[in-house]
Structure formats: structure tokens, C-alpha cells
Amino acid sequence: MSQLTENPRPTALIIDDDAVFRITAGEHLKTAGFNVLEAEDGLSGLSQFRTSQADIVLLDVTLPQQDGFSICRQIRAIPHGETVPVLMITGNDDTESIHRAFQAGASDFTSKSVNYELLIHRIHYMLRTQETTRALREREKSLAYAQSIAKLGNWEWLVQASQFNCSEQVNRILGLAADKAFNIEVLLEAIHPEERDQCQRVLNQCLQKTSQCQFECRIVHPEHGEILTNHEIKVITDSQGELLQVHGTLQDISERRLIEDRIHKMALFDTLTGLPNRNNFYDRLSLSISHARYSKSQLAIMFLDLDGFKIINDSLGHSSGDQLLKMIGNRLSSVLRDGDLAARFGGDEFCILLEDLENKNDAANIAQRCLDTIGQSISVNNTRLYPRISIGIAVYPFDGDSCDTLIRSADNAMYAAKQAGKHQYRFFSAEMTTFTKHYLHLEHDLLDALQNNQFELNYQPQVSLHNGSIIGVEALVRWHHPKLGILAPDQFIPIMEKNGLIVSLGKWVLQSASRQMVEWRHAQVPINRVAVNISGVHFSSGNLIGSLETIIEETGVKPSELQIEITEGVIQTTKESIKNCAKLQELGIKIAIDDFGTGYSCLSSLSHLPIDCLKIDKIFVQNMVDCKNNAAIAETIVSISNTMELSVIAEGVETQEQIQKLKDIGCELGQGFYFCKPASAEQIARLVSTDLLDHQAEELPGIVH
């Protein structure tokens, strides 16, 4: 009995000096139901193989002391290692490495840039193949049983005796009745009519030339319909060339072909959306560049990235995120011209290839169609979403003459589109390379910023529009970069959201603001609350409530002294959102919706969410004097707040005229540069006795206008 059959959890041995690959591959294999052993060099790998009798070996080509080829040969020399599948992992896809791998006894090979889903599928297939081979060897005396496992039959024609013999498996594959005698005519009759003449010509040529032949064809089985079969025929003659015997085998390869087709599809197509994957796209792009170079034509690459996808994924769940990605893939395909190609690069990234462009306007028109089509509302698990996407465009030959440079240029342009406000497209320009380098430098520096205490908090007052007193403050984080000086949040928050540091920063801001609030209280500074803006990633991370409970206990801040601000994009009518908001209110913490009116349509959510405050986005406040529509929107928000007994704060207040308008519509609180720029805690403490509506009062240098 083979080890694989006895042990429902097969053992995989990974021999690789790359710790990252061992860990990553090991985790995927464990998830797939494998026991995993690891070795960082060949000698220790051989030792583990001798004692463990692993079911499969993943072997790196490049190892210290002895390379993978040598280790593979030694594995094959061990008695139980003769038939164990050995999958060689190589960073070199050159023909020589592949040839050496098979010479050394490898079962298969793959590159280091591995698709783990495909790798697991390949390993299972190798193990099934190994099991079949073992069964064949162990039961070689029972040929009929072995042929049944392999779905392989054999037949022979003794020409001079006019005698045909065939195995039982031949009858099963052809679906012959028990009393039906086998011969060449019966075989040809079973072949699909569309392929019968071609197969007969191949067979006749084989008999006439007394040679060997091999062909594939469909057999029409009386019960199972069409099955795919492989035929191999060998002719035996005497010394004078007279025909003596004809030996043939036929095998049902339908299942094998399905598996091969599936592997092929997995290698070239994204399993979620059905679109071509990154490798497929690169192959097509390489051919398109060669064609464009020969024909002196233009082509364009569009790099697309969903805006705010992580928030949707975290708040609604990964299944909803997958459903959204499928819909986006369908919408992209619907806007393309014949011959264009859309591919999923992974995550929330897509790429489009546009060939034979007349000029840039062709690419711009398609990009705009993508924005318009994707921006239409989508219902995902009973939640209405309005997807947004940023697009970068690079044109051959102006922005690059290779796959990598074109895609890199389009990627840079996509980041420029995000920086410009998202849900728009940008063409690549040389200046964008400088921006990308700056972005990468900031991303690297941020890794040390928290540990080196490079962040600091400023505070902006939230002011009564009746008497100019400070009711509360909003904590605003600044990065004191050692070389670049003070950086505003919009220069680093998006980077931290992308690289996963935003939750750590959010905790630091909450802790620091809470400590400051306690200091003000002890110093009898009359500030009622401090507001902290929480990233959507942090809000949906699952540990916000626990962090706040710890902060309240450690700092002594009163829950009523804290206000959590979250944007509309984070607030969805989902159980998780409602649960988080409800828990915050149970703790006694206030909740405000920031930038209200600019994100996802949230009116229907308001009736379901336990919130305390709406903040009117500055775009409505700053234009309300000259724009009746903006004034009407601001008045509607105030009216909604009053009806629902919510407080309301107007953001971005900069002029006396805006203050008067806000008073006229019943808004009680304002925040903006008219009153005070963001200031230090010490400066805020000196402002609390100031009427910030009265600009004749003594000004605090560098703070009050």
C-alpha cells in the first residue's frame, strides 16, 4: 500500500535556501492539506527525505554546497526515491536549465515567480500520476487491472492467421457489446464520422510503410457520448518485409485533456474574472509591440486601479469584493473595441491594451467610456455602490518601447490620476517619473517614522458661530520628515493606507489626542472634546473598539471627550458598520460623518446608523455665497441634522460672508482658517479665552488670521 493512500495528509519536503519562498509555499501547502517539511540546503534535505519518506519534493536549482541537480540525482538513488515526484524550482527559464533538470531525474519544473493556486493543482496532478504509476508497477502481473486504472487498452492483429485479439479495456473504451468481435473495421466505425477518413488514411500509410504511427481522435461511445482517445500503432514485418503483426494501444485521455486544458487556462486566465492574466497580457503586448514597430503604428496601455477598494473589501467582506471585481471585469470588456484586450493584473488592478491607434484621442475616448461605465451604480449584496477607478495611459513608442517600460509609465500615470483627485485618467509625462521616485522614497521613510517619533499633532478649533468660543478641536497629524520638513496628511496618508501602516498611525493619534485631552482637563482648559479622523481601513480592521477601550483605561480620557470622525465612503448600511457605530456609542464616544455630501450616497444609511454629528464638506461652504445649489445643499444638511437631532459642523470656513450664510441657515458650529489654522496644544490653550469671531482681538502670531 502506498504512503499517499495510507496517509490522507501527504507530506511535502521543500528544499530551498530562500526562507521567504519556504514560508510562503509552506503556508499554501498546509492550507491545501499537506504536512510540510523544510530544509535550507541539499544535505539536510537529503537527510530529511531519508527519514520522512516525503510524498513530493520541491527542490531549488540553486543551493549552497551542492546544486539542485546533484541533490535530485541522489534522491533518485535512494530506494524509496525512485518514483517520488520531484518538482524543481528555478529562477532560470532557459532551455539548458530545464534540460538539466529532466536529465537529473526531475518530474517537472516551474519558475520562482509561481502562481501558488496553479502550483497546488500541479502538485495534486503529479501525485495522482505518481499513484497511477505505482499501481501499474505493483500490479504488473494483472495487466487488465492496470489498464483499467490508466483507461488503456491494447490489441493485436496476427496478419497471417487473420486473428484479432484485444484486452477487455478496448471493449470498454469503444463501448462494444460482449459478442462483438474486434477488428480494424470495428475500430474505424467507432471513430467520430468527422475524423474517420483522416484516421483511415493515417492507418493505411502506417500499414503500407510498415512503420509506427500515433494519432488522437474522438470515439463515439454508445452510452457516454464523445470521448477523446490516443492511438499508437506499431507494424512488425519479417526479414523480407512481409507484414506479420500489427500491435495497437488506445487510451481514453478525456480526463487528462480536461486537466491539461484547465491548467492551461489557469496559467493564462484569471480564475475570478475570466479575463487574461498578467502573463497572458505580457505575451500579447510583446507581440503587439513587435507589430507596431514593424508597421510604425501606435498602441496604448491603460493601467486601472479601483479607488477605495480596500474599504469596500474590508467593510462588506471579501466575497462582496470578489463580486465587485467580476462586475468591473465585465464592464471593462463591454467598452473595448474589437481586438483590444482587458486583463486583470491581480488585486484591484486591471490593464487594457489598445492597438492601432490613430492618435491619443482614441485612448482618451476609451478611458472616458471606462470611467462612465464603471462609475454607474452597482448592487453588491443589497448594498448600492458607485465604483470609482483611476486610469493611467502610456503610448508606444513615445512613453516606452518595451513591455516593462510601457506598463511602468502607465502605472506612474495612474498614480498621478489618483493624486489629482481619483476617478479620472492621465497620460504619462516625464515629470511623473520624478513623482513616483518621490513617492517610493516617502514609502520607505514611513517605515521608520512611527518608531522614530516623527509624527506630531496639531489641533484646529471647532467654534461656536454665536459667540466665537471653542467648543472642541480636531486632531490633525503632521509628519516631521527629517529632510523634507513638515508634511501634510495628504502627502503620506494614502501611502500608509496602501502599505498597511495606517492602523498603527491611527492608534498613535488616538493615544496622543487622548493624553492631550486629559492634560487640558487637568489644567482646566475649557475644551469639551477632541475629534480624531479614523481611516476606513482602521474603522473596518476589527480591533478599533478594543484599542479604544485600552486607550480610555490607560490615558484616563473620558469617552464623552472623544469624537470619532469617519467619511461617507466608510459608512455603508451593513451589519458591521452599524455594530461598530453602536459599540462606540455604548462606550459614550461621539461619532461624526466627515466630508458629508461628497462620497457615497448616505441618506438612506443615516436612519440606520447611531451617529451624533454631520460635518458639511468645505466644497459646499466655500461656494455657498456665490452658488445657490451649494447653499441649498448646505441648508438641506443642516435641516436633516436638526430633524434627526444631530449636531452639524461646517468645514472650510474662510470668510465673514460664509459665517453669515451659515448662521442664516441655522448652522451652529464652524471650523476653518477664518478662525484658526491648525496649531499646537500650547497655542490652542492660549486661544480658549479669545472670541474667534472677533478679528479685532489680539492675534496669535502665525495662527489667527
Side-chain angles (χ1 to χ4, degrees), residues 249-267:
T249 62
L250 72 159
Q251 185 176 21
D252 180 354
I253 59 172
S254 302
E255 182 179 356
R256 188 180 79 188
R257 183 56 52 84
L258 286 174
I259 293 173
E260 290 173 351
D261 290 345
R262 185 178 177 188
I263 291 175
H264 176 75
K265 186 173 182 180
M266 291 175 65

Side-chain angles (χ1 to χ4, degrees), residues 477-548:
V477 65
R478 301 288 185 265
W479 180 12
H480 196 94
H481 193 282
K483 295 181 180 179
L484 302 175
I486 301 296
L487 299 182
D490 61 353
Q491 294 180 272
F492 59 87
I493 291 296
I495 303 175
M496 299 188 84
E497 287 181 334
K498 184 176 181 180
N499 64 17
L501 292 174
I502 192 64
V503 174
S504 297
L505 177 64
K507 290 180 181 178
W508 179 87
V509 173
L510 284 168
Q511 289 170 340
S512 301
S514 297
R515 291 192 186 100
Q516 184 57 59
M517 192 67 215
V518 173
E519 288 184 20
W520 280 330
R521 180 175 8 109
H522 290 165
Q524 297 184 340
V525 177
I527 295 176
N528 295 333
R529 64 173 179 266
V530 59
V532 176
N533 198 302
I534 294 296
S535 159
V537 176
H538 193 180
F539 184 78
S540 305
S541 64
N543 59 7
L544 174 63
I545 305 301
S547 296
L548 280 167

Side-chain angles (χ1 to χ4, degrees), residues 279-333:
N279 292 336
N280 195 344
F281 186 86
Y282 263 85
D283 291 342
R284 170 72 179 274
L285 177 57
S286 179
L287 293 174
S288 298
I289 290 174
S290 298
H291 170 74
R293 186 179 293 121
Y294 176 79
S295 62
K296 296 185 172 15
S297 59
Q298 297 180 24
L299 62 82
I301 295 297
M302 291 169 47
F303 200 100
L304 305 89
D305 185 88
L306 279 171
D307 300 325
F309 177 71
K310 182 168 178 57
I311 294 175
I312 296 172
N313 217 22
D314 291 342
S315 60
L316 300 184
H318 290 283
S319 62
S320 295
D322 288 347
Q323 187 179 345
L324 176 61
L325 290 172
K326 290 180 184 179
M327 294 179 179
I328 295 298
N330 291 335
R331 290 187 173 185
L332 285 179
S333 299

Side-chain angles (χ1 to χ4, degrees), residues 188-199:
L188 291 171
E189 287 175 5
I191 295 175
H192 195 286
E194 294 177 359
E195 301 174 10
R196 188 176 298 151
D197 291 343
Q198 175 64 24
C199 292

